[in-house]
Amino acid sequence: MKHPASYIIIILISLSSCELDTYKQGERLYGVHCESCHMKDGSGLAKLIPPLESDYYKNNRDQLSCIIRYGLKDSILVNDEWYEQEMPRNKDLSEIEIVNIINYMDNVLLKDERFTTLKDVKAQLENCDN
């Protein structure tokens, strides 16, 4: 080995420049599947699309996986406002992708510091009414 110290320095520089963002896939997936309706910040679209920060979101946490995968067809009451716009299904998302979207919404957009596991999503998906 010519200069072992130089290898250590290179490794340390490489590690320090890595982006360690645990919600990166969730952010990307949210951008592709959710953002055009719920907006980049989760604020929704006027009276057409509800915001994520809402009583509905908090009261239906046990159904989030089903809502993401199968969408919504019925009218829903969110923060005392009725929303009738259908939410499309995202049937091709894997269970782990749904986990990552929910964790991104909870921790980054809503700053709620909740953590959804793969086990949580699997259990929810087994009980969907669709």
Side-chain angles (χ1 to χ4, degrees):
M1 297 181 111
K2 290 184 176 182
H3 300 288
S6 63
Y7 292 120
I8 292 171
I9 291 171
I10 290 171
I11 290 170
L12 290 174
I13 290 171
S14 296
L15 288 175
S16 68
S17 67
C18 290
E19 183 179 354
L20 298 175
D21 186 351
T22 57
Y23 303 109
K24 206 59 168 167
Q25 184 189 42
E27 178 181 28
R28 184 183 59 75
L29 290 166
Y30 179 87
V32 170
H33 299 281
C34 314
E35 185 178 306
S36 62
C37 294
H38 290 286
M39 302 295 107
K40 185 173 184 79
D41 63 357
S43 62
L45 184 59
K47 295 193 184 246
L48 294 175
I49 308 295
L52 296 179
E53 189 167 342
S54 67
D55 54 355
Y56 186 87
Y57 187 96
K58 290 175 186 167
N59 295 333
N60 292 280
R61 289 200 53 77
D62 61 335
Q63 297 177 37
L64 288 178
S65 300
C66 298
I67 292 169
I68 291 169
R69 176 158 290 163
Y70 299 110
L72 287 172
K73 293 181 183 177
D74 298 327
S75 299
I76 58 172
L77 184 62
V78 178
N79 297 341
D80 296 323
E81 295 282 339
W82 282 101
Y83 291 86
E84 298 179 8
Q85 183 70 32
E86 183 176 330
M87 180 177 154
R89 44 193 314 133
N90 293 288
K91 207 167 98 172
D92 295 330
L93 288 172
S94 71
E95 292 168 343
I96 195 67
E97 289 173 324
I98 293 171
V99 167
N100 289 333
I101 290 171
I102 292 171
N103 284 325
Y104 171 74
M105 292 187 308
D106 283 343
N107 290 278
V108 177
L109 295 180
L110 300 176
K111 296 174 182 29
D112 201 8
E113 297 183 12
R114 290 181 180 257
F115 187 73
T116 298
T117 66
L118 182 57
K119 183 178 176 183
D120 298 331
V121 167
K122 285 181 181 219
Q124 286 181 17
L125 292 173
E126 287 177 6
N127 297 308
C128 294
D129 295 329
N130 54 353

